PDB file of all heavy atoms in Angstrom:
ATOM      1  N   LEU A 335      -3.138  57.574  12.465  1.00 98.00           N
ATOM      2  CA  LEU A 335      -2.363  56.403  12.018  1.00 98.00           C
ATOM      3  C   LEU A 335      -1.457  56.785  10.848  1.00 98.00           C
ATOM      4  O   LEU A 335      -0.271  56.427  10.820  1.00 98.00           O
ATOM      5  CB  LEU A 335      -3.326  55.274  11.609  1.00 98.00           C
ATOM      6  CG  LEU A 335      -2.714  54.002  11.034  1.00 98.00           C
ATOM      7  CD1 LEU A 335      -1.744  53.359  12.003  1.00 98.00           C
ATOM      8  CD2 LEU A 335      -3.809  53.003  10.669  1.00 98.00           C
ATOM      9  N   ALA A 336      -2.004  57.571   9.914  1.00 98.00           N
ATOM     10  CA  ALA A 336      -1.214  57.988   8.752  1.00 98.00           C
ATOM     11  C   ALA A 336      -0.025  58.842   9.211  1.00 98.00           C
ATOM     12  O   ALA A 336       1.109  58.668   8.729  1.00 98.00           O
ATOM     13  CB  ALA A 336      -2.085  58.759   7.770  1.00 98.00           C
ATOM     14  N   ASP A 337      -0.256  59.751  10.183  1.00 98.00           N
ATOM     15  CA  ASP A 337       0.847  60.582  10.697  1.00 98.00           C
ATOM     16  C   ASP A 337       1.938  59.712  11.314  1.00 98.00           C
ATOM     17  O   ASP A 337       3.128  59.944  11.126  1.00 98.00           O
ATOM     18  CB  ASP A 337       0.340  61.544  11.781  1.00 98.00           C
ATOM     19  CG  ASP A 337      -0.506  62.659  11.184  1.00 98.00           C
ATOM     20  OD1 ASP A 337      -0.439  62.841   9.953  1.00 98.00           O
ATOM     21  OD2 ASP A 337      -1.241  63.330  11.943  1.00 98.00           O
ATOM     22  N   LEU A 338       1.503  58.700  12.073  1.00 98.00           N
ATOM     23  CA  LEU A 338       2.480  57.804  12.721  1.00 98.00           C
ATOM     24  C   LEU A 338       3.263  57.005  11.681  1.00 98.00           C
ATOM     25  O   LEU A 338       4.465  56.805  11.809  1.00 98.00           O
ATOM     26  CB  LEU A 338       1.764  56.851  13.680  1.00 98.00           C
ATOM     27  CG  LEU A 338       1.273  57.496  14.973  1.00 98.00           C
ATOM     28  CD1 LEU A 338       0.131  56.698  15.592  1.00 98.00           C
ATOM     29  CD2 LEU A 338       2.417  57.631  15.979  1.00 98.00           C
ATOM     30  N   LEU A 339       2.567  56.582  10.627  1.00 98.00           N
ATOM     31  CA  LEU A 339       3.254  55.811   9.581  1.00 98.00           C
ATOM     32  C   LEU A 339       4.328  56.667   8.906  1.00 98.00           C
ATOM     33  O   LEU A 339       5.385  56.164   8.518  1.00 98.00           O
ATOM     34  CB  LEU A 339       2.240  55.290   8.552  1.00 98.00           C
ATOM     35  CG  LEU A 339       1.358  54.148   9.076  1.00 98.00           C
ATOM     36  CD1 LEU A 339       0.177  53.889   8.144  1.00 98.00           C
ATOM     37  CD2 LEU A 339       2.182  52.864   9.251  1.00 98.00           C
ATOM     38  N   VAL A 340       4.052  57.988   8.817  1.00 98.00           N
ATOM     39  CA  VAL A 340       5.066  58.898   8.277  1.00 98.00           C
ATOM     40  C   VAL A 340       6.289  58.883   9.198  1.00 98.00           C
ATOM     41  O   VAL A 340       7.433  58.841   8.744  1.00 98.00           O
ATOM     42  CB  VAL A 340       4.499  60.328   8.128  1.00 98.00           C
ATOM     43  CG1 VAL A 340       5.593  61.319   7.758  1.00 98.00           C
ATOM     44  CG2 VAL A 340       3.375  60.355   7.087  1.00 98.00           C
ATOM     45  N   MET A 341       6.026  58.894  10.533  1.00 98.00           N
ATOM     46  CA  MET A 341       7.156  58.890  11.483  1.00 98.00           C
ATOM     47  C   MET A 341       7.966  57.593  11.373  1.00 98.00           C
ATOM     48  O   MET A 341       9.161  57.593  11.578  1.00 98.00           O
ATOM     49  CB  MET A 341       6.641  59.057  12.911  1.00 98.00           C
ATOM     50  CG  MET A 341       5.995  60.411  13.142  1.00 98.00           C
ATOM     51  SD  MET A 341       5.452  60.540  14.849  1.00 98.00           S
ATOM     52  CE  MET A 341       4.076  61.654  14.658  1.00 98.00           C
ATOM     53  N   TYR A 342       7.287  56.482  11.096  1.00 98.00           N
ATOM     54  CA  TYR A 342       8.010  55.213  10.895  1.00 98.00           C
ATOM     55  C   TYR A 342       8.658  55.178   9.505  1.00 98.00           C
ATOM     56  O   TYR A 342       9.335  54.228   9.169  1.00 98.00           O
ATOM     57  CB  TYR A 342       7.046  54.016  11.009  1.00 98.00           C
ATOM     58  CG  TYR A 342       6.727  53.563  12.414  1.00 98.00           C
ATOM     59  CD1 TYR A 342       5.557  53.966  13.053  1.00 98.00           C
ATOM     60  CD2 TYR A 342       7.585  52.705  13.105  1.00 98.00           C
ATOM     61  CE1 TYR A 342       5.252  53.531  14.340  1.00 98.00           C
ATOM     62  CE2 TYR A 342       7.293  52.263  14.381  1.00 98.00           C
ATOM     63  CZ  TYR A 342       6.125  52.672  14.996  1.00 98.00           C
ATOM     64  OH  TYR A 342       5.827  52.247  16.261  1.00 98.00           O
ATOM     65  N   ARG A 343       8.393  56.210   8.694  1.00 98.00           N
ATOM     66  CA  ARG A 343       8.841  56.302   7.294  1.00 98.00           C
ATOM     67  C   ARG A 343       8.300  55.137   6.470  1.00 98.00           C
ATOM     68  O   ARG A 343       9.008  54.518   5.678  1.00 98.00           O
ATOM     69  CB  ARG A 343      10.369  56.322   7.201  1.00 98.00           C
ATOM     70  CG  ARG A 343      10.996  57.500   7.883  1.00 98.00           C
ATOM     71  CD  ARG A 343      12.476  57.302   8.028  1.00 98.00           C
ATOM     72  NE  ARG A 343      13.000  58.246   8.986  1.00 98.00           N
ATOM     73  CZ  ARG A 343      13.606  59.368   8.660  1.00 98.00           C
ATOM     74  NH1 ARG A 343      13.764  59.699   7.411  1.00 98.00           N
ATOM     75  NH2 ARG A 343      14.058  60.174   9.596  1.00 98.00           N
ATOM     76  N   MET A 344       7.044  54.833   6.688  1.00 98.00           N
ATOM     77  CA  MET A 344       6.477  53.678   5.994  1.00 98.00           C
ATOM     78  C   MET A 344       5.163  54.000   5.291  1.00 98.00           C
ATOM     79  O   MET A 344       4.477  53.091   4.829  1.00 98.00           O
ATOM     80  CB  MET A 344       6.278  52.540   6.986  1.00 98.00           C
ATOM     81  CG  MET A 344       7.616  51.897   7.316  1.00 98.00           C
ATOM     82  SD  MET A 344       7.492  50.623   8.511  1.00 98.00           S
ATOM     83  CE  MET A 344       9.141  49.917   8.426  1.00 98.00           C
ATOM     84  N   GLU A 345       4.835  55.293   5.218  1.00 98.00           N
ATOM     85  CA  GLU A 345       3.547  55.652   4.618  1.00 98.00           C
ATOM     86  C   GLU A 345       3.479  55.275   3.139  1.00 98.00           C
ATOM     87  O   GLU A 345       2.408  55.003   2.605  1.00 98.00           O
ATOM     88  CB  GLU A 345       3.245  57.144   4.839  1.00 98.00           C
ATOM     89  CG  GLU A 345       3.979  58.118   3.933  1.00 98.00           C
ATOM     90  CD  GLU A 345       5.451  58.325   4.298  1.00 98.00           C
ATOM     91  OE1 GLU A 345       5.964  57.660   5.211  1.00 98.00           O
ATOM     92  OE2 GLU A 345       6.087  59.179   3.645  1.00 98.00           O
ATOM     93  N   GLN A 346       4.647  55.228   2.479  1.00 98.00           N
ATOM     94  CA  GLN A 346       4.628  54.933   1.036  1.00 98.00           C
ATOM     95  C   GLN A 346       4.199  53.510   0.718  1.00 98.00           C
ATOM     96  O   GLN A 346       3.950  53.180  -0.427  1.00 98.00           O
ATOM     97  CB  GLN A 346       5.982  55.260   0.381  1.00 98.00           C
ATOM     98  CG  GLN A 346       7.142  54.372   0.784  1.00 98.00           C
ATOM     99  CD  GLN A 346       7.879  54.894   2.023  1.00 98.00           C
ATOM    100  OE1 GLN A 346       7.271  55.393   2.965  1.00 98.00           O
ATOM    101  NE2 GLN A 346       9.183  54.778   2.025  1.00 98.00           N
ATOM    102  N   TYR A 347       4.133  52.667   1.740  1.00 98.00           N
ATOM    103  CA  TYR A 347       3.709  51.280   1.517  1.00 98.00           C
ATOM    104  C   TYR A 347       2.238  51.078   1.868  1.00 98.00           C
ATOM    105  O   TYR A 347       1.761  49.954   1.920  1.00 98.00           O
ATOM    106  CB  TYR A 347       4.581  50.322   2.334  1.00 98.00           C
ATOM    107  CG  TYR A 347       6.057  50.542   2.100  1.00 98.00           C
ATOM    108  CD1 TYR A 347       6.858  51.138   3.071  1.00 98.00           C
ATOM    109  CD2 TYR A 347       6.633  50.183   0.879  1.00 98.00           C
ATOM    110  CE1 TYR A 347       8.210  51.361   2.837  1.00 98.00           C
ATOM    111  CE2 TYR A 347       7.977  50.414   0.635  1.00 98.00           C
ATOM    112  CZ  TYR A 347       8.766  51.009   1.619  1.00 98.00           C
ATOM    113  OH  TYR A 347      10.089  51.236   1.380  1.00 98.00           O
ATOM    114  N   CYS A 348       1.549  52.194   2.158  1.00 98.00           N
ATOM    115  CA  CYS A 348       0.176  52.079   2.650  1.00 98.00           C
ATOM    116  C   CYS A 348      -0.804  52.868   1.806  1.00 98.00           C
ATOM    117  O   CYS A 348      -0.543  54.000   1.433  1.00 98.00           O
ATOM    118  CB  CYS A 348       0.100  52.607   4.079  1.00 98.00           C
ATOM    119  SG  CYS A 348       1.156  51.700   5.206  1.00 98.00           S
ATOM    120  N   GLU A 349      -1.925  52.232   1.524  1.00 98.00           N
ATOM    121  CA  GLU A 349      -3.014  52.913   0.821  1.00 98.00           C
ATOM    122  C   GLU A 349      -4.237  52.913   1.693  1.00 98.00           C
ATOM    123  O   GLU A 349      -4.445  51.981   2.479  1.00 98.00           O
ATOM    124  CB  GLU A 349      -3.365  52.125  -0.450  1.00 98.00           C
ATOM    125  CG  GLU A 349      -2.502  52.468  -1.617  1.00 98.00           C
ATOM    126  CD  GLU A 349      -2.941  51.743  -2.885  1.00 98.00           C
ATOM    127  OE1 GLU A 349      -3.952  51.004  -2.857  1.00 98.00           O
ATOM    128  OE2 GLU A 349      -2.259  51.930  -3.899  1.00 98.00           O
ATOM    129  N   LEU A 350      -5.052  53.943   1.527  1.00 98.00           N
ATOM    130  CA  LEU A 350      -6.379  53.893   2.127  1.00 98.00           C
ATOM    131  C   LEU A 350      -7.254  53.104   1.151  1.00 98.00           C
ATOM    132  O   LEU A 350      -7.170  53.332  -0.065  1.00 98.00           O
ATOM    133  CB  LEU A 350      -6.925  55.312   2.275  1.00 98.00           C
ATOM    134  CG  LEU A 350      -8.360  55.398   2.793  1.00 98.00           C
ATOM    135  CD1 LEU A 350      -8.397  55.099   4.282  1.00 98.00           C
ATOM    136  CD2 LEU A 350      -8.938  56.777   2.520  1.00 98.00           C
ATOM    137  N   ASP A 351      -8.036  52.165   1.657  1.00 97.00           N
ATOM    138  CA  ASP A 351      -8.979  51.463   0.795  1.00 97.00           C
ATOM    139  C   ASP A 351     -10.222  51.091   1.608  1.00 97.00           C
ATOM    140  O   ASP A 351     -10.243  50.086   2.313  1.00 97.00           O
ATOM    141  CB  ASP A 351      -8.338  50.202   0.188  1.00 97.00           C
ATOM    142  CG  ASP A 351      -9.238  49.591  -0.880  1.00 97.00           C
ATOM    143  OD1 ASP A 351     -10.450  49.902  -0.883  1.00 97.00           O
ATOM    144  OD2 ASP A 351      -8.734  48.812  -1.720  1.00 97.00           O
ATOM    145  N   PRO A 352     -11.274  51.954   1.501  1.00 96.00           N
ATOM    146  CA  PRO A 352     -12.470  51.697   2.316  1.00 96.00           C
ATOM    147  C   PRO A 352     -13.163  50.373   1.987  1.00 96.00           C
ATOM    148  O   PRO A 352     -14.043  49.956   2.732  1.00 96.00           O
ATOM    149  CB  PRO A 352     -13.383  52.888   1.984  1.00 96.00           C
ATOM    150  CG  PRO A 352     -12.478  53.937   1.453  1.00 96.00           C
ATOM    151  CD  PRO A 352     -11.387  53.204   0.738  1.00 96.00           C
ATOM    152  N   SER A 353     -12.745  49.695   0.919  1.00 95.00           N
ATOM    153  CA  SER A 353     -13.347  48.387   0.618  1.00 95.00           C
ATOM    154  C   SER A 353     -12.788  47.269   1.488  1.00 95.00           C
ATOM    155  O   SER A 353     -13.301  46.161   1.465  1.00 95.00           O
ATOM    156  CB  SER A 353     -13.112  47.997  -0.838  1.00 95.00           C
ATOM    157  OG  SER A 353     -13.720  48.931  -1.670  1.00 95.00           O
ATOM    158  N   VAL A 354     -11.704  47.569   2.216  1.00 96.00           N
ATOM    159  CA  VAL A 354     -11.177  46.547   3.130  1.00 96.00           C
ATOM    160  C   VAL A 354     -12.041  46.560   4.381  1.00 96.00           C
ATOM    161  O   VAL A 354     -12.156  47.572   5.066  1.00 96.00           O
ATOM    162  CB  VAL A 354      -9.700  46.841   3.496  1.00 96.00           C
ATOM    163  CG1 VAL A 354      -9.229  45.911   4.610  1.00 96.00           C
ATOM    164  CG2 VAL A 354      -8.821  46.679   2.268  1.00 96.00           C
ATOM    165  N   ILE A 355     -12.697  45.434   4.636  1.00 93.00           N
ATOM    166  CA  ILE A 355     -13.623  45.402   5.765  1.00 93.00           C
ATOM    167  C   ILE A 355     -13.318  44.197   6.665  1.00 93.00           C
ATOM    168  O   ILE A 355     -13.568  44.206   7.848  1.00 93.00           O
ATOM    169  CB  ILE A 355     -15.088  45.401   5.242  1.00 93.00           C
ATOM    170  CG1 ILE A 355     -16.044  45.987   6.254  1.00 93.00           C
ATOM    171  CG2 ILE A 355     -15.553  44.043   4.787  1.00 93.00           C
ATOM    172  CD1 ILE A 355     -16.239  47.449   6.142  1.00 93.00           C
ATOM    173  N   ARG A 356     -12.718  43.130   6.067  1.00 91.00           N
ATOM    174  CA  ARG A 356     -12.329  41.897   6.760  1.00 91.00           C
ATOM    175  C   ARG A 356     -13.520  41.004   7.070  1.00 91.00           C
ATOM    176  O   ARG A 356     -14.543  41.447   7.549  1.00 91.00           O
ATOM    177  CB  ARG A 356     -11.558  42.173   8.050  1.00 91.00           C
ATOM    178  CG  ARG A 356     -10.353  43.054   7.882  1.00 91.00           C
ATOM    179  CD  ARG A 356      -9.122  42.334   7.416  1.00 91.00           C
ATOM    180  NE  ARG A 356      -8.645  41.360   8.363  1.00 91.00           N
ATOM    181  CZ  ARG A 356      -8.311  40.111   8.024  1.00 91.00           C
ATOM    182  NH1 ARG A 356      -8.413  39.705   6.782  1.00 91.00           N
ATOM    183  NH2 ARG A 356      -7.870  39.264   8.920  1.00 91.00           N
ATOM    184  N   GLY A 357     -13.329  39.720   6.805  1.00 79.00           N
ATOM    185  CA  GLY A 357     -14.401  38.752   6.989  1.00 79.00           C
ATOM    186  C   GLY A 357     -14.670  38.391   8.434  1.00 79.00           C
ATOM    187  O   GLY A 357     -15.799  38.091   8.799  1.00 79.00           O
ATOM    188  N   LEU A 358     -13.639  38.447   9.282  1.00 82.00           N
ATOM    189  CA  LEU A 358     -13.825  37.986  10.657  1.00 82.00           C
ATOM    190  C   LEU A 358     -14.695  38.955  11.448  1.00 82.00           C
ATOM    191  O   LEU A 358     -14.630  40.166  11.267  1.00 82.00           O
ATOM    192  CB  LEU A 358     -12.469  37.800  11.332  1.00 82.00           C
ATOM    193  CG  LEU A 358     -11.654  36.642  10.722  1.00 82.00           C
ATOM    194  CD1 LEU A 358     -10.178  36.788  11.003  1.00 82.00           C
ATOM    195  CD2 LEU A 358     -12.177  35.318  11.258  1.00 82.00           C
ATOM    196  N   ALA A 359     -15.477  38.394  12.357  1.00 83.00           N
ATOM    197  CA  ALA A 359     -16.532  39.189  13.006  1.00 83.00           C
ATOM    198  C   ALA A 359     -16.025  40.131  14.102  1.00 83.00           C
ATOM    199  O   ALA A 359     -16.691  41.084  14.446  1.00 83.00           O
ATOM    200  CB  ALA A 359     -17.572  38.237  13.592  1.00 83.00           C
ATOM    201  N   TYR A 360     -14.825  39.864  14.633  1.00 91.00           N
ATOM    202  CA  TYR A 360     -14.451  40.591  15.854  1.00 91.00           C
ATOM    203  C   TYR A 360     -13.813  41.969  15.674  1.00 91.00           C
ATOM    204  O   TYR A 360     -13.560  42.659  16.650  1.00 91.00           O
ATOM    205  CB  TYR A 360     -13.538  39.728  16.743  1.00 91.00           C
ATOM    206  CG  TYR A 360     -12.422  38.996  16.026  1.00 91.00           C
ATOM    207  CD1 TYR A 360     -11.378  39.678  15.418  1.00 91.00           C
ATOM    208  CD2 TYR A 360     -12.419  37.602  15.976  1.00 91.00           C
ATOM    209  CE1 TYR A 360     -10.353  39.002  14.785  1.00 91.00           C
ATOM    210  CE2 TYR A 360     -11.387  36.906  15.341  1.00 91.00           C
ATOM    211  CZ  TYR A 360     -10.356  37.617  14.745  1.00 91.00           C
ATOM    212  OH  TYR A 360      -9.363  36.946  14.113  1.00 91.00           O
TER     213      TYR A 360
END
Side-chain angles (χ1 to χ4, degrees):
L335 176 59
D337 288 344
L338 286 157
L339 288 167
V340 172
M341 295 181 209
Y342 279 98
R343 298 167 195 260
M344 285 177 170
E345 78 284 4
Q346 68 271 39
Y347 308 107
C348 300
E349 275 184 2
L350 175 75
D351 189 341
S353 298
V354 171
I355 206 90
R356 306 277 296 132
L358 293 158
Y360 45 66

